[in-house]
């Protein structure tokens, strides 16, 4: 399987480098063809490839799952169980939903289709497409909702955010972000968002836990339980200085620096930066709650699929900028496979 993954990386990279030479009559069907292949690869993957496959199989056969999982999974699992009769269709349905939503969002949010598809493949495909398949669909719905913020159509954004929460409860946080706009940063906003990550690190280094300061009994009790479970070794501690995270911060700040140039080519860069900053901040702030930290960071961080390839517009000649984006994607892919072990090699 590892050979298939790196073969697909090479194919998508080659197309991304040659994308501006492709006519629309070739580019569009090729884009959908690659997406179709990715959906089948994810949906028909071996059961021993990723960490969560057998957990979903177990949920599929356990009727009590109806009380512990999102309504979307209950509906899809029951439909497959009573109509199609094979658990493989659960994975195929999720894979096709996730790929379709991400591809639709890519086409609406950027003109760099294949660079963004490559970033998705290397950064989130193995994680969301093959492991956290419910989050994968939620993330796709989130990306599809972003254009409505540009239009000022908050009702459609809220509708898609609500649908995302039906696929994973963590996505309910998206409902609170409906006020995000796409307009250029005002001076105070520029420095405000620029200072968020350093401030989060200061809170982390001072061991200040804002969550425990919330005077709400239920939340306090839950946080205490989570902290005790972590002390017992239930979860690994988060390293907020790991190289991948620091690299993402560096790329984000570079795009921040160049956003006035990039906005000429992509009007969504402002709102994408806002979501990415929140993604990075969530990882640091919720360091004592690893599950929440990873879920929020990975959900909001899916904007990297669109945001990071925008580096293309900041470096000339274009072939150099494309090679840089391809290299960044390859680094994410290798770290995900060989270091974070999102799949079993």
């Amino acid at each position: 399987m590892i050979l298939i993954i790196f073969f697909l990386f090479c194919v998508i990279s080659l197309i991304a480098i040659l994308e501006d030479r492709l006519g629309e009559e070739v580019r569009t069907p090729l884009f959908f063809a690659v997406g179709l292949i990715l959906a089948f690869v994810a949906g028909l993957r071996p059961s021993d490839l990723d960490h969560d496959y057998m957990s979903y199989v177990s949920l599929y056969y356990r009727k009590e799952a109806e009380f512990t999982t999102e309504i979307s999974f209950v509906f899809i699992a029951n439909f497959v169980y009573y109509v199609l009769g094979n658990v493989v269709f659960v994975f195929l349905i999720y894979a096709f939903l996730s790929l379709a939503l991400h591809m639709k969002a890519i086409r609406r949010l950027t003109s760099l289709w294949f660079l963004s598809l490559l970033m998705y493949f290397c950064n989130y495909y193995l994680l969301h497409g093959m492991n956290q398949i419910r989050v994968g669909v939620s993330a796709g719905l989130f990306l599809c909702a972003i254009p409505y913020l540009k239009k000022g159509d908050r009702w459609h954004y809220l509708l898609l955010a609500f649908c995302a929460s039906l696929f994973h409860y963590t996505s309910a946080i998206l409902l609170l972000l409906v006020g995000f706009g796409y307009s250029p940063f005002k001076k105070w906003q520029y420095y405000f968002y620029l200072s968020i990550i350093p401030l989060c690190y200061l809170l982390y280094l001072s061991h200040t836990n804002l969550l425990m300061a919330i005077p709400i009994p239920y939340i306090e009790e839950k946080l205490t339980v989570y902290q005790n479970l972590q002390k017992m070794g239930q979860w690994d501690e988060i390293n907020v200085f790991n190289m991948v995270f620091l690299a993402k911060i560096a790329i984000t700040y570079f795009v921040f620096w160049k956003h006035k140039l990039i906005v000429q080519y992509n009007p969504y860069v402002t709102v994408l930066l806002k979501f990415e900053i929140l993604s990075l901040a969530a990882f640091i702030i919720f360091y004592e709650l690893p599950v929440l930290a990873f879920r929020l960071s990975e959900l909001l961080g899916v904007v990297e699929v669109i945001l990071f390839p925008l580096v293309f517009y900041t470096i000339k000649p274009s072939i150099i900028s494309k090679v840089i984006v391809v290299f960044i994607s390859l680094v994410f892919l290798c770290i995900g496979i060989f270091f974070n072990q999102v799949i079993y090699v």
Side-chain angles (χ1 to χ4, degrees):
M1 189 66 180
I2 194 72
L3 294 178
I4 294 176
I5 291 172
F6 277 98
F7 173 75
L8 288 171
F9 166 79
C10 292
V11 170
I12 301 173
S13 297
L14 180 61
I15 299 173
I17 291 174
L18 300 175
E19 182 174 1
D20 52 0
R21 301 182 183 181
L22 302 176
E24 200 63 31
E25 69 282 358
V26 174
R27 182 174 177 243
T28 299
L30 192 57
F31 184 68
F32 285 111
V34 173
L36 194 64
I37 292 171
L38 294 180
F40 273 115
V41 170
L44 298 176
R45 66 190 183 277
S47 61
D48 60 351
L49 181 68
D50 61 275
H51 305 272
D52 294 347
Y53 194 100
M54 295 312 298
S55 297
Y56 282 110
V57 172
S58 178
L59 286 174
Y60 172 77
Y61 287 109
R62 284 168 46 201
K63 294 305 175 186
E64 58 266 31
E66 297 184 9
F67 301 99
T68 59
T69 56
E70 293 83 359
I71 188 172
S72 61
F73 183 84
V74 174
F75 176 80
I76 292 172
N78 278 285
F79 172 77
V80 171
Y81 185 86
Y82 291 108
V83 178
L84 302 176
N86 191 322
V87 68
V88 172
F89 285 104
V90 170
F91 298 100
L92 279 170
I93 290 172
Y94 270 97
F96 273 87
L97 278 175
S98 182
L99 262 297
L101 289 168
H102 280 83
M103 292 176 67
K104 179 179 180 180
I106 287 172
R107 293 188 70 198
R108 294 186 66 183
L109 291 169
T110 183
S111 60
L112 305 174
W113 292 1
F114 283 96
L115 281 179
S116 289
L117 186 62
L118 179 67
M119 186 62 67
Y120 166 70
F121 177 75
C122 294
N123 202 5
Y124 282 97
Y125 174 72
L126 298 182
L127 179 66
H128 287 168
M130 294 190 180
N131 282 272
Q132 304 165 8
I133 57 177
R134 291 174 295 161
V135 180
V137 177
S138 293
L141 285 165
F142 168 44
L143 285 178
C144 287
I146 291 177
Y148 291 107
L149 292 178
K150 180 178 182 295
K151 297 177 181 179
D153 188 349
R154 296 181 177 181
W155 287 112
H156 273 93
Y157 171 86
L158 288 171
L159 176 61
L160 288 175
F162 173 73
C163 291
S165 69
L166 298 181
F167 281 89
H168 202 277
Y169 293 137
T170 306
S171 302
I173 190 68
L174 300 177
L175 298 170
L176 303 178
L177 306 179
V178 66
F180 275 30
Y182 80 98
S183 57
F185 289 113
K186 297 178 181 178
K187 188 173 182 179
W188 71 268
Q189 290 176 322
Y190 179 84
Y191 290 108
F192 170 74
Y193 282 100
L194 206 58
S195 65
I196 288 177
I197 301 304
L199 179 60
C200 289
Y201 270 118
L202 286 176
L203 292 173
Y204 170 82
L205 293 173
S206 64
H207 303 287
T208 302
N209 191 330
L210 295 179
L211 293 178
M212 292 302 292
I214 300 176
I216 302 177
Y218 176 77
I219 292 179
E220 287 181 317
E221 292 170 7
K222 279 291 184 182
L223 292 175
T224 301
V225 170
Y226 290 147
Q227 287 179 323
N228 291 334
L229 286 173
Q230 185 173 346
K231 291 177 181 178
M232 295 167 58
Q234 189 75 19
W235 297 316
D236 295 330
E237 291 187 4
I238 282 180
N239 177 13
V240 299
F241 295 101
N242 71 77
M243 292 305 297
V244 175
F245 187 67
L246 293 178
K248 289 185 176 184
I249 292 176
I251 297 171
T252 301
Y253 273 72
F254 177 79
V255 175
F256 225 118
W257 176 39
K258 295 289 188 178
H259 81 279
K260 289 184 179 179
L261 168 64
I262 296 173
V263 76
Q264 302 175 40
Y265 303 95
N266 190 305
Y268 297 102
V269 64
T270 303
V271 70
L272 295 174
L273 280 169
K274 291 177 181 179
F275 283 123
E276 178 64 9
I277 290 291
L278 284 189
S279 166
L280 299 171
F283 190 76
I284 304 171
I285 291 174
F286 298 110
Y287 71 96
E288 291 192 346
L289 299 175
V291 172
L292 182 60
F294 278 109
R295 290 290 192 230
L296 285 178
S297 180
E298 290 163 358
L299 173 65
L300 298 175
V302 75
V303 297
E304 296 162 3
V305 171
I306 311 297
L307 184 66
F308 288 176
L310 297 181
V311 170
F312 166 79
Y313 295 117
T314 67
I315 301 169
K316 301 297 180 182
S318 61
I319 184 64
I320 299 298
S321 59
K322 286 186 178 182
V323 169
I324 289 174
V325 175
V326 169
F327 176 75
I328 293 172
S329 301
L330 178 60
V331 171
F332 284 147
L333 179 63
C334 290
I335 290 177
I337 294 175
F338 300 112
F339 184 75
N340 294 334
Q341 297 181 331
V342 291
I343 61 172
Y344 297 114
V345 180

